[in-house]
Amino acid sequence: LKLALIGQSIFGQEVYNKLRKEGHKVVGVFTVPDKNGQADPLALAAEKDGTPVFKFPKWRAKGKPIQEVVAAYKSVGAELNVLPFCTQFIPMDVIDCPKHGSIIYHPSILPRHRGASAINWTLIQGDKKAGFTIFWADDGLDTGPILLQRECDVGQNDTVDDLYNRFLFPEGIKAMVEAVHLIADGKAPRIPQPKEGATYEGIQKKENAEISWDQPAAALHNWIRGHDKVPGAWTTINGQVVTFYGSSLLDASVPAGQELTIKGASRPGLVTKNGLVVFGNDGKMVLVRNLQFEDGKMIPASKYFSADETTALELTEEEKKIAEDIRAIWKGILSNVAVIEDSTDFFKSGASSMHVVRMLEEIKQKHSGLQLQNEDVYMATKFADFIQMAVRKLRGEDKEEELVIDYVSKNMNNMTVNMPYQCFINGKFINSDDGKTYDTINPADGSVIASVSSASLADVDKAVAAAKEAFEDGEWGRMNARERGRLMYRLADLMEEHQEELATIESIDSGAVYTLALKTHIGMSVQTFRYFAGWCDKIQGATIPINQARPNHNLTFTKKEPIGVCAIIIPWNYPLMMLAWKSAACLAAGNTLVLKPAQVTPLTSLKFAELSAKAGFPKGVINILPGSGGLVGQHLSEHPDVRKVGFTGSTPTGKQIMKSAAANLKKVSLELGGKSPLIIFSDCELDRAVKMGMGAVYFNKGENCIAAGRLFVEESIHDEFVRKVVEEIKKMKIGDPLDRSTDHGPQNHKAHLEKLLQYCETGVKEGATLVYGGRQVHRPGFFMEPTVFTDVEDHMYIAQEESFGPVMVISKFKNGDIDGVLRRANATEYGLASGVFTKDINKALYISEKLEAGTVFINTYNKTDVAAPFGGFKLSGFGKDLGEEALHEYLRTKAITVEY
């Protein structure tokens, strides 16, 4: 089609570029005149391509079209007018002139929020959905028939910029191009706008953006974010107009801070280390991050009482050179300004938001060590202030504020335990995007430990985006391997320093006996990080001899490279240890990660996030998202920017992850269910076999992926073995997991306990002999008696399916029938672990060769080590945790050939 583009801005420029790329001919661009000597981006792009550009100050005079302007427009012969973003009033003579009429982009879901401030009103009125409409222009105000619409969710703390940058801008460009295609193909609909739900709101200007304080906190927050950045919600403080930017709802106890009287507010605000806290008439709080004064100066709200205390820096010679480079960059942008003085204001000299991006990119190009954000420019708009800010950042004097954490604190186990409970995304603890939470329960008594943020799909997208940026553009991606290892060693040291607190959290959140949590859950986690920290600078490729292409020579070598963003999804039985097994290898390889802990045991993962930040891991490298597996885990599995999924959990869920990952062929490693056989021969050391056999079943209350799901005991020792096991069970102390003398704690959560009780009922119904246990312990919490079944036949449910609990399932086998018991041991769809007890080393090695399992224990059980690879066969999954092999799960191999 022959198109006329009428409008302005980067949005208009992008629509113009895309339409030309798709083969449409833009016969004319009609935009606004240059401002302060600066052409609009749409005009710049069109002029560069040689497209006719018209810059009319206005199209109408005294309500009537200007005939010279209309004639100039008609001269280009457009078949369709495309108005991506236009602030001018266009006469109907022009709108109706082309063969196909005119289409307009509007940033709301029409008929709601007609008018020029549609995005603002979407937020001001607290809409849960935002979006845009492309409609056919008519003589009404945003009333024409709808061509297409798109919508998105509005996050609790989204600003106008958030919505625009995340959805309205990128998706709007695509939709404008799609709309033109539909018109060209004769398939564009004209759907009349419904009358129901129609609203019109006027343009929001500074004079009507004053904050009315007699409202609930949510309404205050909506008003502030709905005016952020333009025109800016304001109030009066100490006789001066102060504009608020960067608000979020604060769901926590009232923080410590210095009171600040605000005109019209019934309660003073609080200047805290995180910003200005203001109160709604419902007593709830809003946190405001930045304040702007009448002279245009913007400061962090936390610095309100110390804004003028900063002493000017004296620059070194090298810093002076950088300052002059930046002065030249400003001059290139502010071409209308003769000389860039210290007092030159970037925005008052004609720059706009698009110039902010250009300036920062040019600075980054010249001085890669100087990492500035858009917000920095708004905080220091005058040249001298900007240089001071930039130098402080360069010197590291303006480092990010101390990590802000809202804890749930409990006094227990002779200590104060501080537990983060929010999502950890891009180096910050934040509430979930939609504000949803859920309770995590102490299985020892059924009480609520904390209300934890439940991550949403928007949180997944944010976390993946943060991890991707950290990998591709952040400090982590540029860090050398030895420095990476140093960070991991520091993290391991911090975990060790906090091991008692971590073990306490693990105990109350998962039900693990404290002494076991201290030694295994936490102890092995520390060991795992130290082991893989040592691998960081030892990951190597190889040189490969290939046939030479004479007379030239060739060199071929391989590189081991990190994959990118990895999703790690872990179970609830060893919350921190499962995190460590996967995350340590992932990080050692140089990847970034988004980790979803099990919904019922999120707390040690969130504490780990705190320690990782304190260890100095750059923001975005580690992200933790508590919440639903069906929501968060599923979205991670299918997310196009996630290049690897590491999962430990059930086989059905593992299969679903593989299906989801297939959509973009991401790498997957799975550690899934098991029904691990343990074969006990009559020539074993019986007391040792009893002790180890009990550990194989009851270790960590049976919530152990490699637990011996079925014991095969040789007939001649069967009865004695069972008798000794029952005697030992009776000696076990069941009780409070924080009690140092407790042997057996509660099952992880109520639903799992109920599943175990049903499992035992099934065993009895099928004819197995319940020798001991099988019942819930009569006390608060989710305790179950250690259980023993005998006379279990191969066809029975409990012989085939994993209990994942303290249930010993015993079957006899005939004396000397080695091959027979092997067939029975291998007659399972799982293959995670296995074991054999015998004094005959030849028999043991023969059986270890024949057992179809990823791990075989001989005369021991549960003996895992950070250096030994761990993983299963068959429906127990594929890929390895631990050992050198685990690194390869998080690396890719690149072959490079050079001819010389």
Side-chain angles (χ1 to χ4, degrees):
L1 287 177
K2 293 179 182 179
L3 307 175
L5 251 75
I6 304 175
Q8 66 225 61
S9 79
I10 292 177
F11 185 74
Q13 179 191 58
E14 288 297 313
V15 171
Y16 166 84
N17 289 333
K18 294 284 186 185
L19 287 169
R20 290 186 79 249
K21 189 176 179 181
E22 293 291 321
H24 298 287
K25 182 174 177 59
V26 180
V27 294
V29 164
F30 299 84
T31 187
V32 293
D34 296 355
K35 183 179 179 183
N36 296 321
Q38 297 280 335
D40 184 81
L42 175 56
L44 288 172
E47 287 167 350
K48 183 180 176 183
D49 295 332
T51 301
V53 176
F54 303 84
K55 301 178 181 180
F56 301 132
K58 54 186 177 179
W59 293 70
R60 301 189 304 177
K62 297 181 179 180
K64 294 182 179 181
I66 301 172
Q67 292 308 313
E68 295 85 352
V69 173
V70 175
Y73 161 76
K74 289 182 177 179
S75 69
V76 302
E79 298 172 317
L80 174 69
N81 291 333
V82 177
L83 286 73
F85 173 71
C86 182
T87 57
Q88 297 177 309
F89 285 100
I90 311 300
M92 289 307 296
D93 305 50
V94 173
I95 293 293
D96 293 336
C97 181
K99 172 184 174 182
H100 296 291
S102 302
I103 59 169
I104 302 179
Y105 171 92
H106 184 79
S108 80
I109 306 169
L110 292 175
R112 188 163 172 78
H113 303 311
R114 293 170 177 157
S117 297
I119 314 177
N120 305 75
W121 285 103
T122 297
L123 294 175
I124 291 168
Q125 296 193 353
D127 293 0
K128 300 301 182 187
K129 295 283 185 183
F132 58 81
T133 304
I134 296 171
F135 67 96
W136 299 93
D138 65 5
D139 58 358
L141 186 60
D142 304 330
T143 56
I146 294 168
L147 195 159
L148 62 79
Q149 289 183 319
R150 299 284 186 272
E151 66 176 38
C152 68
D153 292 330
V154 178
Q156 179 176 275
N157 294 318
D158 276 345
T159 63
V160 171
D161 280 356
D162 291 333
L163 288 177
Y164 188 71
N165 295 330
R166 186 178 75 236
F167 185 80
L168 299 175
F169 181 87
E171 296 303 319
I173 292 164
K174 294 178 192 173
M176 287 297 284
V177 176
E178 181 185 344
V180 173
H181 282 323
L182 288 170
I183 294 167
D185 294 340
K187 299 178 180 177
R190 291 176 180 263
I191 305 166
Q193 290 191 32
K195 293 181 180 179
E196 186 178 350
T199 63
Y200 171 81
E201 295 90 12
I203 297 175
Q204 281 304 95
K205 297 181 179 179
K206 195 73 176 181
E207 55 265 29
N208 56 19
E210 183 177 6
I211 301 167
S212 172
W213 290 103
D214 190 20
Q215 301 182 80
L220 292 175
H221 167 56
N222 288 337
W223 185 262
I224 295 168
R225 66 174 177 151
H227 290 84
D228 189 344
K229 293 272 189 302
V230 178
W234 60 274
T235 191
T236 303
I237 301 175
N238 292 328
Q240 186 176 184
V241 170
V242 179
T243 305
F244 287 10
Y245 296 109
S247 76
S248 58
L249 288 170
L250 184 60
D251 183 15
S253 54
V254 177
Q258 189 172 347
E259 287 193 352
L260 179 65
T261 301
I262 300 171
K263 183 180 178 181
S266 60
R267 182 173 176 179
L270 291 173
V271 177
T272 73
K273 64 180 182 179
N274 301 324
L276 173 63
V277 174
V278 294
F279 298 86
N281 61 12
D282 55 358
K284 295 182 178 179
M285 295 176 286
V286 176
L287 178 68
V288 179
R289 292 192 300 276
N290 301 317
L291 304 175
Q292 187 175 41
F293 299 102
E294 290 174 344
D295 63 359
K297 183 180 180 182
M298 186 181 283
I299 63 165
S302 59
K303 306 291 186 187
Y304 181 85
F305 289 111
S306 55
D308 298 321
E309 294 176 7
T310 306
T311 305
L313 298 174
E314 186 173 337
L315 274 57
T316 65
E317 289 304 313
E318 182 61 31
E319 289 165 349
K320 287 177 182 177
K321 290 177 184 176
I322 293 171
E324 288 310 307
D325 286 342
I326 295 174
R327 192 187 299 272
I329 291 168
W330 277 46
K331 182 69 181 78
I333 294 170
L334 305 175
S335 56
N336 57 305
V337 178
V339 180
I340 304 297
E341 306 280 0
D342 284 354
S343 59
T344 300
D345 188 289
F346 191 66
F347 296 107
K348 290 180 180 177
S349 299
S352 63
S353 58
M354 71 169 182
H355 297 115
V356 171
V357 177
R358 174 183 162 183
M359 189 233 300
L360 296 184
E361 288 301 314
E362 288 191 41
I363 292 173
K364 190 189 299 182
Q365 224 171 16
K366 276 186 171 288
H367 302 285
S368 59
L370 183 53
Q371 298 293 315
L372 301 174
Q373 307 297 322
N374 291 10
E375 204 70 32
D376 296 326
V377 186
Y378 293 104
M379 292 288 193
T381 61
K382 292 180 181 176
F383 182 76
D385 295 337
F386 186 83
I387 293 300
Q388 290 281 311
M389 176 274 300
V391 171
R392 289 184 192 282
K393 282 189 175 287
L394 202 58
R395 293 180 182 182
E397 294 178 13
D398 199 27
K399 290 182 179 175
E400 289 186 10
E401 297 256 344
E402 182 183 351
L403 181 66
V404 177
I405 311 172
D406 286 331
Y407 292 118
V408 169
S409 299
K410 291 187 181 292
N411 294 315
M412 54 174 53
N413 206 20
N414 300 315
M415 69 183 81
T416 299
V417 179
N418 294 314
M419 296 170 282
Y421 59 86
Q422 297 165 295
C423 301
F424 186 72
I425 300 173
N426 205 24
K428 295 180 180 179
F429 283 101
I430 59 173
N431 291 331
S432 59
D433 187 77
D434 57 11
K436 289 183 180 178
T437 61
Y438 68 94
D439 292 337
T440 186
I441 304 298
N442 184 342
D445 58 12
S447 64
V448 174
I449 306 169
S451 184
V452 178
S453 291
S454 183
S456 67
L457 295 181
D459 295 311
V460 175
D461 291 339
K462 288 178 188 175
V464 172
K468 185 179 181 184
E469 182 178 357
F471 180 76
E472 295 180 353
D473 302 315
E475 179 188 351
W476 181 255
R478 299 187 299 272
M479 190 180 293
N480 67 59
R482 201 157 293 170
E483 175 66 13
R484 202 161 65 233
R486 188 182 66 80
L487 282 180
M488 292 183 66
Y489 277 123
R490 187 187 299 167
L491 177 54
D493 290 345
L494 282 171
M495 291 167 70
E496 190 168 56
E497 285 176 28
H498 289 262
Q499 61 181 337
E500 293 182 348
E501 184 180 21
L502 285 165
T504 302
I505 297 171
E506 193 92 333
S507 184
I508 63 170
D509 204 25
S510 77
V513 170
Y514 175 76
T515 50
L516 175 65
L518 194 62
K519 177 182 181 297
T520 302
H521 290 232
I522 313 307
M524 194 173 188
S525 300
V526 174
Q527 292 172 27
T528 303
F529 267 91
R530 287 195 174 131
Y531 173 81
F532 282 108
W535 267 109
C536 287
D537 60 355
K538 300 171 187 67
I539 299 169
Q540 301 176 4
T543 55
I544 303 169
I546 65 169
N547 288 338
Q548 306 294 345
R550 295 176 182 175
N552 298 319
H553 293 82
N554 297 102
L555 168 66
T556 294
F557 61 95
T558 60
K559 287 180 67 181
K560 296 288 187 180
E561 298 180 338
I563 296 170
V565 179
C566 299
I568 293 175
I569 304 170
I570 57 172
W572 43 258
N573 55 330
Y574 296 102
L576 189 64
M577 194 171 81
M578 292 295 98
L579 175 152
W581 280 21
K582 286 179 163 44
S583 298
C586 174
L587 294 169
N591 301 287
T592 57
L593 64 88
V594 180
L595 181 138
K596 195 205 85 65
Q599 187 167 3
V600 291
T601 53
L603 296 180
T604 42
S605 294
L606 294 170
K607 189 70 179 180
F608 167 84
E610 175 192 345
L611 298 180
S612 73
K614 290 180 176 177
F617 275 77
K619 65 180 185 178
V621 175
I622 294 170
N623 304 273
I624 309 291
L625 298 178
S628 161
L631 184 75
V632 177
Q634 177 69 23
H635 195 38
L636 283 171
S637 301
E638 60 195 15
H639 200 292
D641 290 334
V642 171
R643 298 311 313 152
K644 157 75 197 250
V645 178
F647 171 74
T648 296
S650 72
T651 297
T653 304
K655 290 179 179 179
Q656 180 59 45
I657 284 173
M658 280 198 72
K659 288 180 184 177
S660 301
N664 62 345
L665 295 179
K666 56 173 59 78
K667 193 172 184 179
V668 177
S669 57
L670 304 171
E671 195 256 280
L672 307 176
K675 187 66 175 174
S676 302
L678 174 57
I679 304 171
I680 300 174
F681 287 97
S682 59
D683 62 352
C684 71
E685 187 180 323
L686 186 58
D687 287 342
R688 179 177 177 81
V690 168
K691 181 181 178 183
M692 290 287 182
M694 290 183 67
V697 176
Y698 302 127
F699 188 80
N700 200 47
K701 313 109 65 186
E703 295 168 355
N704 186 18
C705 49
I706 58 171
R710 192 174 181 194
L711 276 65
F712 295 94
V713 182
E714 199 162 11
E715 194 170 27
S716 61
I717 61 166
H718 173 273
D719 293 350
E720 186 179 3
F721 179 87
V722 173
R723 179 180 59 78
K724 285 179 175 285
V725 165
V726 172
E727 284 178 1
E728 292 302 313
I729 288 174
K730 290 177 179 178
K731 298 175 186 176
M732 291 171 66
K733 179 179 177 180
I734 301 172
D736 180 1
L738 293 176
D739 185 334
R740 305 309 192 264
S741 63
T742 295
D743 299 303
H744 189 79
Q747 304 309 134
N748 186 277
H749 51 281
K750 185 178 181 181
H752 184 55
L753 171 64
E754 291 169 351
K755 181 181 173 184
L756 287 171
L757 296 173
Q758 182 61 49
Y759 184 91
C760 292
E761 286 180 20
T762 301
V764 171
K765 286 177 183 176
E766 288 190 333
T769 301
L770 179 61
V771 176
Y772 192 89
R775 297 183 300 270
Q776 182 175 357
V777 178
H778 293 296
R779 58 172 292 156
F782 312 135
F783 292 86
M784 180 177 178
E785 295 174 338
T787 299
V788 180
F789 278 102
T790 60
D791 302 319
V792 178
E793 298 178 15
D794 295 351
H795 68 274
M796 291 180 178
Y797 177 82
I798 64 172
Q800 298 174 0
E801 295 300 325
E802 180 181 30
S803 72
F804 212 66
V807 183
M808 184 177 286
V809 176
I810 303 175
S811 299
K812 291 180 189 177
F813 68 94
K814 292 181 180 179
N815 294 332
D817 188 9
I818 296 174
D819 289 327
V821 75
L822 271 172
R823 281 193 299 274
R824 295 173 71 191
N826 285 329
T828 172
E829 57 189 0
Y830 301 107
L832 188 56
S834 59
V836 56
F837 279 83
T838 176
K839 293 177 183 177
D840 185 338
I841 189 62
N842 292 322
K843 185 194 298 181
L845 291 175
Y846 172 77
I847 286 171
S848 71
E849 289 179 8
K850 298 295 183 182
L851 282 169
E852 297 170 2
T855 298
V856 180
F857 297 108
I858 299 176
N859 294 328
T860 188
Y861 209 89
N862 287 325
K863 182 62 178 175
T864 53
D865 187 89
V866 294
F870 180 93
F873 302 159
K874 300 189 286 188
L875 288 187
S876 289
F878 51 82
K880 298 295 180 183
D881 290 326
L882 304 179
E884 181 182 0
E885 284 198 42
L887 282 170
H888 300 301
E889 301 294 334
Y890 297 93
L891 293 166
R892 64 186 184 188
T893 303
K894 179 182 287 181
I896 301 169
T897 298
V898 182
E899 187 170 281
Y900 59 96

